[in-house]
Amino acid sequence: EIEGVDCKHTEGGRYAVYLVAVVMIASGPLAARWVTGQAGHADERILQLPDNVSGWRGQDEASDRWQPVYRGAVSLRGVYHKNGGSVHLFVGYYPRQTQGAELINELNSITNGESWQVVRAAIVGPGQGLPDMIESELGSQYAHKRLVWYRYRVAGRYTTSPYVAKLLQVVGLLSGKTDASIIAVATDMHTDARAARERLADFIVSMDEPLARIADGYN
């Protein structure tokens, strides 16, 4: 369980912890290298967010105070606009995960807690053919509200489960695909969550392909 997220829908997720242990034992020295943080130097490639896609125009430099914290990640931030609405995008990319610089870590958070705090978090199914997302509602000291959707991408696969993400870490290590990412999108809630969810869903659908490429380390 991470950041207060209710993972009851993934009760089988806890069994993934045991699978991780079994796979790591079976993988021998390779798993040991990952645990001790000896996987090698970070990738030097320079990633860039997409510009204009399906009516979403960006990417302005994000001067907003919302700042996810993912230690050791290559962080990309931008703001996109469409039909009077805005979506903030954050991508945290790990070319290789090492101990202390890894996607699933108790020190990582979807917000730094300074200007925005998590009020509520749960797994939601947005519909419209979209996969599940971790949804966090953020609140500020000025009574503003913001809705955040995010999910992990490890070894080329999406998941909302930290347990599955850990398992995919090991699978990726064995297959030579050691990168991992978090993709988070956020938008302000002015009245209720419905309009905010529709805006985020449109953005995710429009940006699906370019975001998957960035999350896998390609422009």
Side-chain angles (χ1 to χ4, degrees), residues 50-180:
D51 292 320
N52 306 319
V53 180
S54 298
W56 285 100
R57 301 181 64 83
Q59 79 243 39
D60 302 89
E61 181 64 28
S63 59
D64 187 81
R65 292 188 176 183
W66 172 57
Q67 178 61 66
V69 177
Y70 281 83
R71 290 165 174 79
V74 176
S75 297
L76 304 174
R77 300 179 66 201
V79 184
Y80 293 80
H81 310 279
K82 181 179 180 180
N83 298 332
S86 298
V87 169
H88 297 258
L89 170 64
F90 171 83
V91 178
Y93 174 69
Y94 292 86
R96 292 181 178 84
Q97 299 186 80
T98 59
Q99 191 169 11
E102 55 197 340
L103 180 62
I104 306 301
N105 187 306
E106 62 181 6
L107 297 178
N108 291 340
S109 176
I110 198 60
T111 181
N112 60 14
E114 294 179 4
S115 298
W116 294 95
Q117 295 78 39
V118 176
V119 176
R120 174 188 59 82
I123 305 295
V124 298
Q128 301 184 45
L130 290 171
D132 287 352
M133 296 281 180
I134 303 173
E135 180 180 274
S136 287
E137 181 182 325
L138 307 183
S140 77
Q141 58 183 325
Y142 304 107
H144 298 156
K145 293 183 179 181
R146 177 167 290 181
L147 201 66
V148 181
W149 281 358
Y150 65 102
R151 53 182 171 168
Y152 310 116
R153 188 169 176 89
V154 185
R157 300 182 185 180
Y158 284 118
T159 182
T160 58
S161 167
Y163 306 110
V164 174
K166 280 291 188 182
L167 177 58
L168 290 174
Q169 270 184 307
V170 181
V171 172
L173 179 68
L174 299 177
S175 65
K177 189 169 181 54
T178 59
D179 53 354

